[in-house]
Amino acid sequence: MNKSRVTVIDIARAAGVSKSTVSLVLQASPLVNEATRAKVNATIRELGYVYNRGAANLRQSASSRIIGIIVNDLTNSFFAELAVGMDMVMQSAGYVQFLSNSAESIDRQREVIASMREHGIAGLILSPARGTEAADLKPLVASGIPVVAVVRNVVGAKVSTLFSDNYAGAKDAVRHLIALGHRRIAFLGGISNTTVFTERVQGWREALAEVGMDAPDTHVIPSTASRAGGVAAIERALLLPDPPTAALCFNDAAAFGVCDGLRAAGKEPGRDFGVVGFDDVIEAETAVPALTTVSVDPQGMGRRAAQLLLKQINAGRVEPEAIVSSVRLVVRQSCGAGSSDKTRRIFA
Amino acid sequence: MNKSRVTVIDIARAAGVSKSTVSLVLQASPLVNEATRAKVNATIRELGYVYNRGAANLRQSASSRIIGIIVNDLTNSFFAELAVGMDMVMQSAGYVQFLSNSAESIDRQREVIASMREHGIAGLILSPARGTEAADLKPLVASGIPVVAVVRNVVGAKVSTLFSDNYAGAKDAVRHLIALGHRRIAFLGGISNTTVFTERVQGWREALAEVGMDAPDTHVIPSTASRAGGVAAIERALLLPDPPTAALCFNDAAAFGVCDGLRAAGKEPGRDFGVVGFDDVIEAETAVPALTTVSVDPQGMGRRAAQLLLKQINAGRVEPEAIVSSVRLVVRQSCGAGSSDKTRRIFA
DNA sequence: TGACAAAATTGGAACGATCCAATTAAGTAC
DNA sequence: GTACTTAATTGGATCGTTCCAATTTTGTCA
C-alpha cells in the first residue's frame, strides 16, 4: 500500500510544525502548547503513523526497553509458568521480551544470547541450560547489561540470582515423612552434579540428622530428572538390602515415575510407599494419587525475577544480588497422609 | 566499563580501512580481498565489536528478522508446545522472536501488537485471544506485514491460517465409538459460538449420519472448555430421557471433567461410559483411565506455522493461505476399547 | 609501457528518531 | 512602548549502519 512509511517529518509537514515539535509531542513533553499538541496528535492518527523504536534507540543515551528471556525447557510447565510470570511484569512495565527456548542446548543458548546482544537488550533473565559457564555470560556482564539467573546457578558468574529454597523445602518434606512414621527415607532421581540436586540432598540429610536417623549414601539414587529417571531410581531402591518405605524425589516428573515403578512392582504409592515430589506442577494436583510436593510458585518466581531485573536496569549501576524464594510443602495423597474420598475410593 | 560502544568506524580506524569495507566484511561480501577480510575480522574480535541490528534496520530496504508470536495461554501445555515448535524453526532461520502471552485478554493483545509494530516485526503468528476482531489486525495487514492465525479463527481478517482438522478428527473419534457398539453418542463441552466448536460438532454429526444414526440437538451440550464445564455437561446429559452411553468431548480438559462427573454419578469412565477427548495434552496419557483422544501434535503445528510465515515474508507479496493440519485418533482406555493391566487393576 | 578491464576500496548521503542551543512568540511590569 | 522573563518552537548535528557512485589499485595483453 504505502510505498514508504510515515515519519515524524511527514506529520510535521502535514501539521505545519517542525519535526522537533512532533518529537516533543511523542514523548508527552510539557513544553508544547495544548493546541499544537492536539493538532499533531490528530495528524498522527490521520496518517497512521507508527513510532519507530529502532530509530529512537539509535541515540546512545536511550536504553532499549527490550529484555531477553531464555529458558531451558519451555515444554516443562514449570518453566512455562515462570515465563508467564515474567511476561506479566515486563508487559506492565512497558517492556517487550525476546523469549527463547534453549532446549537444554548450550550452543543454541550461546547463539540466542549473541543475537539478543546485537538487538540491544536492556537486560537478560536466564534459566541456564545445563553446562552453562560463566564465560558464556562474560561479554554481557562486561558491557554492563544486568543478568538475572533463575532456578539454576552459573558457577563463577557475577550475576544476580533467584533460586527457590531447595534446602528448606527438602527438609520440610522429609520432616513430614518422618512424622508419618517412616524410618527409611530415600532421595530419588535428579542429576547429581547440579547445585539444585546438592541443595535438596542437603535438606534431606539434615532432616534425618535432626532426629538422629541414618542418611546412608546408598539411599541417594540419582538418575535423570524425568519420569523415566524416577522409574529407574525406584527399581534400584527396592533392590536394596534395607529398602526405603518412602522417598523424597528430585522433582515431580521423577515422582510420577516413582509411582509408575511402584505399581509395576505391585506396590501402591501412598498406601504402600510414601512419595513426595518437588515443584508442584499443575498435574500434581490432579494425578492419582494426588502428589504431595514442595510448591515453588513458578509464576511468582518469574514475577520476582522480572522485578529484580527491572530494578537493576533502572539503578544503572549493576550490583549482583542473590534472592532465595521461599517454598511450602503441599500435603496431598501420595505421601500416605491424605485420606480424601478420592483416595479411599481407589485404594480402599 | 566501555564508556561508549565500539562501532564500525572504530574497527575501520584500528584496521586501517574505511567503514564501508568493514560493512562489506560484516555482510560477507565477495567483493573484499581475503587479506583485508582477515585483518578486519581480527580487529572485530580484538575490540569486542557487537553488531548493531537496530542501526542496520534503519535503512528502509532492510527487513528486521524479528517476528512476533502471541499465544492466548502459555500456561496451557498445548500452547507452550506450539510456541516451542515455532521457536525451533525461527531460531534456525536466524530470526529472533517477541513471544507474548495475551492471557485471553484482547486489551493486552492489542497493546502487544502495537508494541511489536513499533519494533518493526517482519511478521506475526497469532493464536488469537477470544473475541479478537479483524479490526485488531487491520493495521498490520494494511502495512503489508504477513500474519498467520493459528488454532483459532479471526472472522473477516484477510490473514493466513493454520488450523487442525477439527472436522476429520471429530468424525474419526465418533466412528470409533460407533464401532465399539455405542448407539447414543453425545457431544459435550465447549463454547458454542466458536469456529472450533462448530467444526467438531459438524464432524460428530456427519459420522452419525454416515450410519444413519440420529444426531439430536439435545445431545450437543455446550459449556466452558474446562474441567468444570465437562462436569456440568455430563450432569445434564445423564438427565436426558435417552441418556448417551458415550461422548466426544470438546477438548481434553472437558473430557477429564466428564470423567469426574461420571464417577460422581457412580459410573466408571471407560467401563460404563465411553469418553473421548480432543488435543492429546500430556496428561491424557497418564491419567486414570488414560484418555482416548484426538492428537493434534502442537509442536508440529508450531513448526508449520513458522514455516508458512517465513515463506510469506520471503515471498514479499502476501497472499493469504489456509492450511489444515491433520490429526489422528489415539485409542487408550477411556473409550472402553483398551484393556491394559493398569485399567484392570484399578477398575476390576 | 600504455591501454583497458576487473577487483578492491572509499567518502558521502541516507534511514527516523532525539537533543541541544538558538530563535521566536507571548506575557508581565514599569 | 520598552525591557525583561517565560513559554513555544525550531534547525542542525548525531546515533551506527547500508548503499551508491566514484575512485584507486591490481592484473592482463598487445
Side-chain angles (χ1 to χ4, degrees), chain B residues 174 178 183-187 200-221 240 242 244:
Chain B
V174 174
I178 294 172
R183 285 300 165 262
R184 293 194 307 282
I185 302 169
F187 185 97
R200 293 185 184 173
V201 167
Q202 187 62 17
W204 166 83
R205 202 179 299 279
E206 299 267 322
L208 295 177
E210 273 180 354
V211 294
M213 281 168 59
D214 230 25
D217 286 348
T218 53
H219 275 187
V220 177
I221 305 181
L240 290 174
D242 55 342

mmCIF file of all heavy atoms in Angstrom, chain B residues 174 178 183-187 200-221 240 242 244:
data_model
loop_
_atom_site.group_PDB
_atom_site.id
_atom_site.type_symbol
_atom_site.label_atom_id
_atom_site.label_comp_id
_atom_site.label_asym_id
_atom_site.label_seq_id
_atom_site.Cartn_x
_atom_site.Cartn_y
_atom_site.Cartn_z
ATOM 1 N N VAL B 174 -15.862 -40.282 16.591
ATOM 2 C CA VAL B 174 -17.228 -40.787 16.707
ATOM 3 C C VAL B 174 -17.370 -42.134 15.991
ATOM 4 O O VAL B 174 -18.025 -43.060 16.486
ATOM 5 C CB VAL B 174 -18.229 -39.756 16.172
ATOM 6 C CG1 VAL B 174 -19.639 -40.327 16.160
ATOM 7 C CG2 VAL B 174 -18.184 -38.490 17.029
ATOM 8 N N ILE B 178 -18.777 -45.612 17.526
ATOM 9 C CA ILE B 178 -19.836 -46.394 16.870
ATOM 10 C C ILE B 178 -19.370 -47.844 16.713
ATOM 11 O O ILE B 178 -20.100 -48.794 16.989
ATOM 12 C CB ILE B 178 -20.192 -45.789 15.492
ATOM 13 C CG1 ILE B 178 -20.836 -44.408 15.688
ATOM 14 C CG2 ILE B 178 -21.117 -46.713 14.722
ATOM 15 C CD1 ILE B 178 -21.045 -43.641 14.391
ATOM 16 N N ARG B 183 -24.604 -46.464 20.559
ATOM 17 C CA ARG B 183 -25.688 -46.024 19.672
ATOM 18 C C ARG B 183 -26.208 -44.640 20.059
ATOM 19 O O ARG B 183 -26.900 -43.989 19.284
ATOM 20 C CB ARG B 183 -26.842 -47.050 19.694
ATOM 21 C CG ARG B 183 -26.541 -48.323 18.903
ATOM 22 C CD ARG B 183 -26.266 -48.024 17.410
ATOM 23 N NE ARG B 183 -25.645 -49.139 16.703
ATOM 24 C CZ ARG B 183 -24.326 -49.240 16.479
ATOM 25 N NH1 ARG B 183 -23.498 -48.312 16.948
ATOM 26 N NH2 ARG B 183 -23.840 -50.259 15.808
ATOM 27 N N ARG B 184 -25.914 -44.182 21.262
ATOM 28 C CA ARG B 184 -26.304 -42.833 21.669
ATOM 29 C C ARG B 184 -25.047 -42.100 22.126
ATOM 30 O O ARG B 184 -24.539 -42.340 23.228
ATOM 31 C CB ARG B 184 -27.361 -42.862 22.768
ATOM 32 C CG ARG B 184 -28.720 -43.427 22.275
ATOM 33 C CD ARG B 184 -29.863 -43.141 23.245
ATOM 34 N NE ARG B 184 -29.554 -43.591 24.590
ATOM 35 C CZ ARG B 184 -29.625 -44.850 24.993
ATOM 36 N NH1 ARG B 184 -30.004 -45.791 24.152
ATOM 37 N NH2 ARG B 184 -29.313 -45.160 26.236
ATOM 38 N N ILE B 185 -24.539 -41.252 21.245
ATOM 39 C CA ILE B 185 -23.248 -40.591 21.476
ATOM 40 C C ILE B 185 -23.428 -39.077 21.545
ATOM 41 O O ILE B 185 -23.910 -38.466 20.596
ATOM 42 C CB ILE B 185 -22.257 -40.938 20.337
ATOM 43 C CG1 ILE B 185 -22.090 -42.466 20.266
ATOM 44 C CG2 ILE B 185 -20.924 -40.239 20.549
ATOM 45 C CD1 ILE B 185 -21.362 -42.953 19.040
ATOM 46 N N ALA B 186 -23.056 -38.487 22.667
ATOM 47 C CA ALA B 186 -23.249 -37.045 22.845
ATOM 48 C C ALA B 186 -21.998 -36.254 22.470
ATOM 49 O O ALA B 186 -20.920 -36.815 22.281
ATOM 50 C CB ALA B 186 -23.617 -36.748 24.293
ATOM 51 N N PHE B 187 -22.188 -34.942 22.334
ATOM 52 C CA PHE B 187 -21.045 -34.035 22.161
ATOM 53 C C PHE B 187 -21.071 -33.100 23.366
ATOM 54 O O PHE B 187 -21.995 -32.310 23.536
ATOM 55 C CB PHE B 187 -21.151 -33.242 20.868
ATOM 56 C CG PHE B 187 -19.923 -32.401 20.610
ATOM 57 C CD1 PHE B 187 -18.922 -32.870 19.758
ATOM 58 C CD2 PHE B 187 -19.749 -31.168 21.228
ATOM 59 C CE1 PHE B 187 -17.774 -32.130 19.541
ATOM 60 C CE2 PHE B 187 -18.605 -30.412 21.020
ATOM 61 C CZ PHE B 187 -17.614 -30.905 20.167
ATOM 62 N N ARG B 200 -16.068 -29.204 15.092
ATOM 63 C CA ARG B 200 -16.058 -30.508 15.764
ATOM 64 C C ARG B 200 -17.466 -31.105 15.826
ATOM 65 O O ARG B 200 -17.651 -32.302 15.628
ATOM 66 C CB ARG B 200 -15.443 -30.369 17.158
ATOM 67 C CG ARG B 200 -13.975 -30.017 17.049
ATOM 68 C CD ARG B 200 -13.221 -29.973 18.371
ATOM 69 N NE ARG B 200 -11.846 -29.530 18.076
ATOM 70 C CZ ARG B 200 -10.919 -29.233 18.981
ATOM 71 N NH1 ARG B 200 -11.200 -29.339 20.259
ATOM 72 N NH2 ARG B 200 -9.722 -28.853 18.603
ATOM 73 N N VAL B 201 -18.448 -30.245 16.085
ATOM 74 C CA VAL B 201 -19.826 -30.736 16.109
ATOM 75 C C VAL B 201 -20.216 -31.256 14.720
ATOM 76 O O VAL B 201 -20.877 -32.293 14.587
ATOM 77 C CB VAL B 201 -20.806 -29.626 16.553
ATOM 78 C CG1 VAL B 201 -22.239 -30.049 16.276
ATOM 79 C CG2 VAL B 201 -20.615 -29.336 18.038
ATOM 80 N N GLN B 202 -19.754 -30.561 13.712
ATOM 81 C CA GLN B 202 -20.054 -30.973 12.337
ATOM 82 C C GLN B 202 -19.515 -32.386 12.069
ATOM 83 O O GLN B 202 -20.202 -33.230 11.495
ATOM 84 C CB GLN B 202 -19.429 -29.965 11.360
ATOM 85 C CG GLN B 202 -19.802 -30.168 9.906
ATOM 86 C CD GLN B 202 -21.300 -30.000 9.679
ATOM 87 O OE1 GLN B 202 -22.001 -29.437 10.518
ATOM 88 N NE2 GLN B 202 -21.778 -30.521 8.567
ATOM 89 N N GLY B 203 -18.282 -32.641 12.511
ATOM 90 C CA GLY B 203 -17.685 -33.965 12.335
ATOM 91 C C GLY B 203 -18.491 -35.027 13.076
ATOM 92 O O GLY B 203 -18.723 -36.129 12.556
ATOM 93 N N TRP B 204 -18.921 -34.668 14.277
ATOM 94 C CA TRP B 204 -19.740 -35.585 15.083
ATOM 95 C C TRP B 204 -21.028 -35.940 14.343
ATOM 96 O O TRP B 204 -21.392 -37.088 14.181
ATOM 97 C CB TRP B 204 -20.032 -34.872 16.418
ATOM 98 C CG TRP B 204 -21.105 -35.444 17.283
ATOM 99 C CD1 TRP B 204 -20.988 -36.478 18.162
ATOM 100 C CD2 TRP B 204 -22.449 -34.999 17.372
ATOM 101 N NE1 TRP B 204 -22.161 -36.698 18.796
ATOM 102 C CE2 TRP B 204 -23.098 -35.801 18.334
ATOM 103 C CE3 TRP B 204 -23.188 -33.984 16.736
ATOM 104 C CZ2 TRP B 204 -24.432 -35.630 18.674
ATOM 105 C CZ3 TRP B 204 -24.509 -33.812 17.073
ATOM 106 C CH2 TRP B 204 -25.138 -34.639 18.036
ATOM 107 N N ARG B 205 -21.669 -34.872 13.837
ATOM 108 C CA ARG B 205 -22.941 -35.031 13.154
ATOM 109 C C ARG B 205 -22.816 -35.941 11.922
ATOM 110 O O ARG B 205 -23.605 -36.858 11.702
ATOM 111 C CB ARG B 205 -23.463 -33.660 12.729
ATOM 112 C CG ARG B 205 -24.947 -33.578 12.481
ATOM 113 C CD ARG B 205 -25.356 -32.164 12.090
ATOM 114 N NE ARG B 205 -25.070 -31.159 13.120
ATOM 115 C CZ ARG B 205 -25.859 -30.944 14.188
ATOM 116 N NH1 ARG B 205 -26.955 -31.643 14.355
ATOM 117 N NH2 ARG B 205 -25.530 -30.027 15.066
ATOM 118 N N GLU B 206 -21.777 -35.695 11.150
ATOM 119 C CA GLU B 206 -21.598 -36.439 9.894
ATOM 120 C C GLU B 206 -21.306 -37.915 10.152
ATOM 121 O O GLU B 206 -21.762 -38.784 9.420
ATOM 122 C CB GLU B 206 -20.443 -35.841 9.096
ATOM 123 C CG GLU B 206 -20.657 -34.391 8.704
ATOM 124 C CD GLU B 206 -21.283 -34.228 7.336
ATOM 125 O OE1 GLU B 206 -20.919 -35.014 6.435
ATOM 126 O OE2 GLU B 206 -22.123 -33.333 7.169
ATOM 127 N N ALA B 207 -20.489 -38.169 11.184
ATOM 128 C CA ALA B 207 -20.163 -39.565 11.485
ATOM 129 C C ALA B 207 -21.420 -40.337 11.839
ATOM 130 O O ALA B 207 -21.591 -41.493 11.444
ATOM 131 C CB ALA B 207 -19.160 -39.633 12.632
ATOM 132 N N LEU B 208 -22.311 -39.683 12.578
ATOM 133 C CA LEU B 208 -23.566 -40.332 12.937
ATOM 134 C C LEU B 208 -24.438 -40.535 11.699
ATOM 135 O O LEU B 208 -25.027 -41.601 11.499
ATOM 136 C CB LEU B 208 -24.322 -39.494 13.977
ATOM 137 C CG LEU B 208 -23.635 -39.342 15.343
ATOM 138 C CD1 LEU B 208 -24.437 -38.424 16.257
ATOM 139 C CD2 LEU B 208 -23.459 -40.718 16.002
ATOM 140 N N ALA B 209 -24.446 -39.496 10.861
ATOM 141 C CA ALA B 209 -25.270 -39.555 9.647
ATOM 142 C C ALA B 209 -24.822 -40.689 8.725
ATOM 143 O O ALA B 209 -25.644 -41.370 8.107
ATOM 144 C CB ALA B 209 -25.221 -38.219 8.918
ATOM 145 N N GLU B 210 -23.540 -40.914 8.649
ATOM 146 C CA GLU B 210 -22.972 -41.959 7.779
ATOM 147 C C GLU B 210 -23.628 -43.319 7.983
ATOM 148 O O GLU B 210 -23.785 -44.095 7.044
ATOM 149 C CB GLU B 210 -21.475 -42.128 8.080
ATOM 150 C CG GLU B 210 -20.560 -41.213 7.317
ATOM 151 C CD GLU B 210 -19.111 -41.481 7.718
ATOM 152 O OE1 GLU B 210 -18.861 -42.270 8.651
ATOM 153 O OE2 GLU B 210 -18.222 -40.893 7.089
ATOM 154 N N VAL B 211 -23.922 -43.612 9.253
ATOM 155 C CA VAL B 211 -24.505 -44.925 9.553
ATOM 156 C C VAL B 211 -25.989 -44.805 9.860
ATOM 157 O O VAL B 211 -26.588 -45.699 10.463
ATOM 158 C CB VAL B 211 -23.775 -45.596 10.742
ATOM 159 C CG1 VAL B 211 -22.335 -45.922 10.353
ATOM 160 C CG2 VAL B 211 -23.826 -44.705 11.972
ATOM 161 N N GLY B 212 -26.549 -43.667 9.447
ATOM 162 C CA GLY B 212 -27.982 -43.483 9.603
ATOM 163 C C GLY B 212 -28.449 -43.272 11.034
ATOM 164 O O GLY B 212 -29.618 -43.473 11.353
ATOM 165 N N MET B 213 -27.517 -42.873 11.908
ATOM 166 C CA MET B 213 -27.910 -42.653 13.291
ATOM 167 C C MET B 213 -28.404 -41.231 13.520
ATOM 168 O O MET B 213 -28.027 -40.316 12.809
ATOM 169 C CB MET B 213 -26.737 -42.941 14.233
ATOM 170 C CG MET B 213 -26.525 -44.426 14.482
ATOM 171 S SD MET B 213 -24.951 -44.748 15.312
ATOM 172 C CE MET B 213 -25.163 -43.808 16.809
ATOM 173 N N ASP B 214 -29.211 -41.118 14.540
ATOM 174 C CA ASP B 214 -29.769 -39.834 14.915
ATOM 175 C C ASP B 214 -28.699 -38.920 15.510
ATOM 176 O O ASP B 214 -27.791 -39.383 16.184
ATOM 177 C CB ASP B 214 -30.832 -40.078 15.995
ATOM 178 C CG ASP B 214 -32.123 -39.363 15.646
ATOM 179 O OD1 ASP B 214 -32.338 -39.121 14.425
ATOM 180 O OD2 ASP B 214 -32.897 -39.053 16.567
ATOM 181 N N ALA B 215 -28.809 -37.599 15.239
ATOM 182 C CA ALA B 215 -27.893 -36.633 15.867
ATOM 183 C C ALA B 215 -28.737 -35.518 16.459
ATOM 184 O O ALA B 215 -28.716 -34.389 15.977
ATOM 185 C CB ALA B 215 -26.914 -36.099 14.841
ATOM 186 N N PRO B 216 -29.488 -35.818 17.507
ATOM 187 C CA PRO B 216 -30.407 -34.817 18.055
ATOM 188 C C PRO B 216 -29.647 -33.657 18.702
ATOM 189 O O PRO B 216 -28.590 -33.860 19.301
ATOM 190 C CB PRO B 216 -31.186 -35.602 19.117
ATOM 191 C CG PRO B 216 -30.281 -36.722 19.515
ATOM 192 C CD PRO B 216 -29.501 -37.070 18.285
ATOM 193 N N ASP B 217 -30.224 -32.473 18.571
ATOM 194 C CA ASP B 217 -29.593 -31.286 19.157
ATOM 195 C C ASP B 217 -29.472 -31.395 20.671
ATOM 196 O O ASP B 217 -28.573 -30.804 21.267
ATOM 197 C CB ASP B 217 -30.404 -30.032 18.814
ATOM 198 C CG ASP B 217 -30.198 -29.654 17.350
ATOM 199 O OD1 ASP B 217 -29.273 -30.231 16.728
ATOM 200 O OD2 ASP B 217 -30.961 -28.816 16.845
ATOM 201 N N THR B 218 -30.347 -32.151 21.269
ATOM 202 C CA THR B 218 -30.287 -32.304 22.727
ATOM 203 C C THR B 218 -29.015 -33.020 23.155
ATOM 204 O O THR B 218 -28.604 -32.923 24.300
ATOM 205 C CB THR B 218 -31.484 -33.128 23.240
ATOM 206 O OG1 THR B 218 -31.533 -34.366 22.501
ATOM 207 C CG2 THR B 218 -32.769 -32.367 23.078
ATOM 208 N N HIS B 219 -28.397 -33.729 22.254
ATOM 209 C CA HIS B 219 -27.157 -34.442 22.573
ATOM 210 C C HIS B 219 -25.912 -33.577 22.398
ATOM 211 O O HIS B 219 -24.801 -34.051 22.582
ATOM 212 C CB HIS B 219 -27.060 -35.744 21.759
ATOM 213 C CG HIS B 219 -27.771 -36.886 22.404
ATOM 214 N ND1 HIS B 219 -27.698 -38.172 21.940
ATOM 215 C CD2 HIS B 219 -28.586 -36.941 23.502
ATOM 216 C CE1 HIS B 219 -28.425 -38.975 22.701
ATOM 217 N NE2 HIS B 219 -28.987 -38.234 23.653
ATOM 218 N N VAL B 220 -26.114 -32.337 21.978
ATOM 219 C CA VAL B 220 -24.991 -31.392 21.932
ATOM 220 C C VAL B 220 -25.144 -30.471 23.139
ATOM 221 O O VAL B 220 -26.079 -29.678 23.210
ATOM 222 C CB VAL B 220 -25.000 -30.558 20.638
ATOM 223 C CG1 VAL B 220 -23.856 -29.550 20.665
ATOM 224 C CG2 VAL B 220 -24.882 -31.470 19.433
ATOM 225 N N ILE B 221 -24.231 -30.606 24.095
ATOM 226 C CA ILE B 221 -24.353 -29.831 25.332
ATOM 227 C C ILE B 221 -23.131 -28.947 25.537
ATOM 228 O O ILE B 221 -22.098 -29.397 26.043
ATOM 229 C CB ILE B 221 -24.543 -30.759 26.539
ATOM 230 C CG1 ILE B 221 -25.756 -31.687 26.271
ATOM 231 C CG2 ILE B 221 -24.745 -29.954 27.817
ATOM 232 C CD1 ILE B 221 -26.069 -32.644 27.384
ATOM 233 N N LEU B 240 -31.058 -36.662 30.592
ATOM 234 C CA LEU B 240 -31.886 -36.753 29.381
ATOM 235 C C LEU B 240 -32.759 -38.014 29.417
ATOM 236 O O LEU B 240 -32.383 -39.007 30.040
ATOM 237 C CB LEU B 240 -30.992 -36.802 28.139
ATOM 238 C CG LEU B 240 -30.241 -35.517 27.784
ATOM 239 C CD1 LEU B 240 -29.287 -35.773 26.620
ATOM 240 C CD2 LEU B 240 -31.229 -34.406 27.422
ATOM 241 N N ASP B 242 -33.235 -40.056 27.027
ATOM 242 C CA ASP B 242 -32.474 -41.136 26.387
ATOM 243 C C ASP B 242 -30.980 -40.856 26.570
ATOM 244 O O ASP B 242 -30.300 -40.433 25.658
ATOM 245 C CB ASP B 242 -32.803 -41.215 24.896
ATOM 246 C CG ASP B 242 -32.587 -39.882 24.200
ATOM 247 O OD1 ASP B 242 -32.515 -38.838 24.922
ATOM 248 O OD2 ASP B 242 -32.441 -39.856 22.966
ATOM 249 N N PRO B 244 -27.023 -40.639 26.762
ATOM 250 C CA PRO B 244 -25.994 -41.238 25.907
ATOM 251 C C PRO B 244 -25.195 -42.288 26.673
ATOM 252 O O PRO B 244 -25.177 -42.294 27.896
ATOM 253 C CB PRO B 244 -25.109 -40.052 25.541
ATOM 254 C CG PRO B 244 -25.312 -39.059 26.628
ATOM 255 C CD PRO B 244 -26.718 -39.222 27.078
#
